C-alpha cells in the first residue's frame, strides 16, 4: 500500500491520517514537535468522520505486527488531551503491551485484572504525566489466558467508562490471527486502521478488512503510517505544506502577532 488511492479505491476505506517516517511518541518529542501536526490533522478528521461524536470509543488496530499502531494510538491520545479533552488510553494488546513503557508506568495491574474481577476498574486506571490523559494498562497476562477478554465483560466495561471520558482509545493486537481485536472492536464506535507504508501486500490487508466486515465492525478510517516523505513526491507536498504552515504560525506566535 503506497497511496491514498490504494486505500480508498482498492481497500474501500477512507484515509483520515498520513504520518511520516521515524515519528516517536510525542511524550518524547513534545507538543511543539513538527510531527504533532500530523496527529492533530488525524484528530480533526476523526471528529468529522464520526460527526463530532461525544464520548467516542475507538479501537486502533492493524493487519500485522510492526505497523506502528501503538505509537499512533498514543500520539492521538496525547494531542487529544493537549486540546483539553479528558482522554482514557487502554492497552488491550495483552500479548505485546507497550503503552506502559511509553509512559514509564507500572504494568502490574490493569485490564486483565479488571476482567478477572481482581481489581475494580477505578483502581486500575491511573493518572499520567500528561495532563487530561488517564491510562488503563494491560496488566499481566495470566497463564490460563483463554477467555480473559470476555465479550460481555468488555461490553459492560466500555458502557461504564464511555460517559466518564470525552474520548477513549484502545490499543488492540493485530487483527489477523488474534481474536482479541475483534472482541474489543465490536464494542467500540469504530476502528482506526493503521497501515504501514509499503510494508504488507494489499491482499493481506484485504483479508484483515474482510474479517472486520464479516463481524459488522465499523471502520472509521485508515492512517497511512511511516511514510518516506523524501522518497515519494506524492507525500512530499503534503509534508512540506504542514511543515511550512506550522513554522509560520510558530514564528508569528513568538513575535506576538497572529
Amino acid at each position: 500500500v503506497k497511496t491514498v488511492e490504494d486505500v480508498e479505491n482498492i481497500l474501500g476505506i477512507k484515509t483520515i491520517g498520513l504520518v511520516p517516517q521515524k515519528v516517536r511518541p510525542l511524550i518524547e518529542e513534545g507538543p511543539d514537535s513538527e510531527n504533532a501536526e500530523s496527529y492533530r490533522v488525524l484528530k480533526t478528521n476523526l471528529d468529522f468522520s464520526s460527526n463530532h461524536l461525544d464520548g467516542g470509543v475507538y479501537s486502533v488496530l492493524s493487519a500485522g505486527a510492526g505497523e506502528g499502531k501503538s505509537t499512533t494510538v498514543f500520539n492521538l491520545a496525547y494531542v487529544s488531551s493537549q486540546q483539553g479533552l479528558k482522554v482514557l488510553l487502554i492497552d488491550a494488546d495483552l500479548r505485546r503491551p507497550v503503552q506502559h513503557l511509553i509512559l514509564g508506568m507500572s504494568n502490574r495491574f490493569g485490564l486483565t485484572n479488571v476482567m478477572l474481577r481482581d481489581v475494580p476498574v477505578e483502581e486500575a486506571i491511573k493518572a499520567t504525566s500528561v495532563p487530561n490523559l488517564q491510562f488503563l494498562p494491560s496488566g499481566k497476562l495470566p497463564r490460563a489466558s483463554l477467555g480473559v477478554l470476555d465479550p460481555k465483560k468488555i461490553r459492560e466495561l466500555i458502557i461504564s467508562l464511555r460517559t466518564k471520558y470525552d474520548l477513549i482509545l484502545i490499543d488492540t493486537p493485530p487483527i489477523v490471527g488474534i481474536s482479541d481485536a475483534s472482541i474489543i472492536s465490536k464494542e467500540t464506535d469504530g476502528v482506526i486502521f493503521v497501515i504501514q507504508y509499503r510494508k504488507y501486500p494489499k491482499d493481506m490487508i484485504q483479508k484483515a478488512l474482510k474479517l472486520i466486515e464479516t463481524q459488522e465492525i465499523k471502520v472509521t478510517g485508515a492512517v497511512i503510517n511511516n511514510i518516506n516523505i523524501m522518497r515519494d513526491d506524492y507525500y512530499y507536498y503534503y509534508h512540506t505544506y504542514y511543515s511550512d504552515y506550522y513554522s509560520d504560525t510558530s514564528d508569528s506566535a513568538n513575535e506576538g502577532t497572529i
Side-chain angles (χ1 to χ4, degrees), residues 124-136:
I125 293 174
K126 304 298 182 184
T128 72
S129 61
V130 181
N132 303 316
L133 177 61
Q134 295 188 328
F135 176 49
L136 177 58

Side-chain angles (χ1 to χ4, degrees), residues 7 51 110 128 134 153:
V7 172
N51 295 318
T128 72
Q134 295 188 328
K153 291 179 182 178

Side-chain angles (χ1 to χ4, degrees), residues 187-215:
E187 304 304 326
T188 66
D189 298 315
V191 164
I192 300 170
F193 199 86
V194 178
I195 302 171
Q196 181 161 323
Y197 173 79
R198 296 179 181 265
K199 184 175 177 70
Y200 288 120
K202 297 184 186 77
D203 58 354
M204 177 179 170
I205 299 169
Q206 286 174 316
K207 179 182 178 182
L209 289 170
K210 188 68 175 177
L211 286 172
I212 294 172
E213 181 183 321
T214 57
Q215 297 181 63

Side-chain angles (χ1 to χ4, degrees), residues 21-255:
Q21 264 186 336
K22 299 179 180 178
V23 173
R24 304 193 313 277
L26 293 177
I27 198 169
E28 300 173 18
E29 295 192 5
D32 296 329
S33 161
E34 176 184 302
N35 292 320
E37 189 63 22
S38 298
Y39 297 96
R40 283 191 279 268
V41 172
L42 168 58
K43 175 60 173 63
T44 299
N45 289 338
L46 177 64
D47 288 342
F48 282 111
S49 297
S50 58
N51 295 318
H52 298 279
L53 183 68
D54 292 329
V57 182
Y58 298 93
S59 57
V60 181
L61 56 78
S62 58
E67 295 196 70
K69 67 172 178 59
S70 293
T71 301
T72 299
V73 67
F74 178 82
N75 286 348
L76 179 57
Y78 184 94
V79 298
S80 300
S81 62
Q82 288 285 315
Q83 293 173 358
L85 299 179
K86 186 177 181 182
V87 181
L88 175 64
L89 173 62
I90 301 176
D91 195 342
D93 192 341
L94 304 185
R95 292 164 179 80
R96 297 180 62 183
V98 299
Q99 298 298 337
H100 67 287
L101 299 175
I102 294 174
L103 284 161
M105 298 177 69
S106 171
N107 194 39
R108 185 179 178 187
F109 296 106
L111 180 61
T112 56
N113 306 95
V114 174
M115 291 292 99
L116 294 170
R117 312 295 194 194
D118 294 336
V119 177
V121 66
E122 294 79 11
E123 292 183 19
I125 293 174
K126 304 298 182 184
T128 72
S129 61
V130 181
N132 303 316
L133 177 61
Q134 295 188 328
F135 176 49
L136 177 58
S138 70
K140 300 294 185 182
L141 186 65
R143 291 182 181 178
S145 61
L146 186 65
V148 170
L149 293 182
D150 176 75
K152 182 180 178 181
K153 291 179 182 178
I154 288 290
R155 186 179 309 117
E156 290 173 352
L157 178 64
I158 290 176
I159 289 172
S160 70
L161 290 174
R162 69 160 63 245
T163 58
K164 300 175 183 178
Y165 296 91
D166 299 314
L167 179 66
I168 299 175
L169 296 170
I170 308 174
D171 187 357
T172 66
I175 189 72
V176 176
I178 301 177
S179 63
D180 292 0
S182 299
I183 292 170
I184 296 164
S185 297
K186 197 166 180 63
E187 304 304 326
T188 66
D189 298 315
V191 164
I192 300 170
F193 199 86
V194 178
I195 302 171
Q196 181 161 323
Y197 173 79
R198 296 179 181 265
K199 184 175 177 70
Y200 288 120
K202 297 184 186 77
D203 58 354
M204 177 179 170
I205 299 169
Q206 286 174 316
K207 179 182 178 182
L209 289 170
K210 188 68 175 177
L211 286 172
I212 294 172
E213 181 183 321
T214 57
Q215 297 181 63
E216 299 181 345
I217 297 170
K218 178 185 176 184
V219 178
T220 302
V223 177
I224 305 177
N225 188 53
N226 203 39
I227 299 167
N228 188 334
I229 300 294
M230 304 310 294
R231 173 181 174 181
D232 197 325
D233 291 341
Y234 179 91
Y235 296 106
Y236 183 78
Y237 171 78
Y238 174 91
H239 179 71
T240 302
Y241 173 81
Y242 279 104
S243 296
D244 291 347
Y245 176 82
Y246 185 81
S247 297
D248 289 345
T249 54
S250 295
D251 291 343
S252 296
N254 291 335
E255 292 170 6

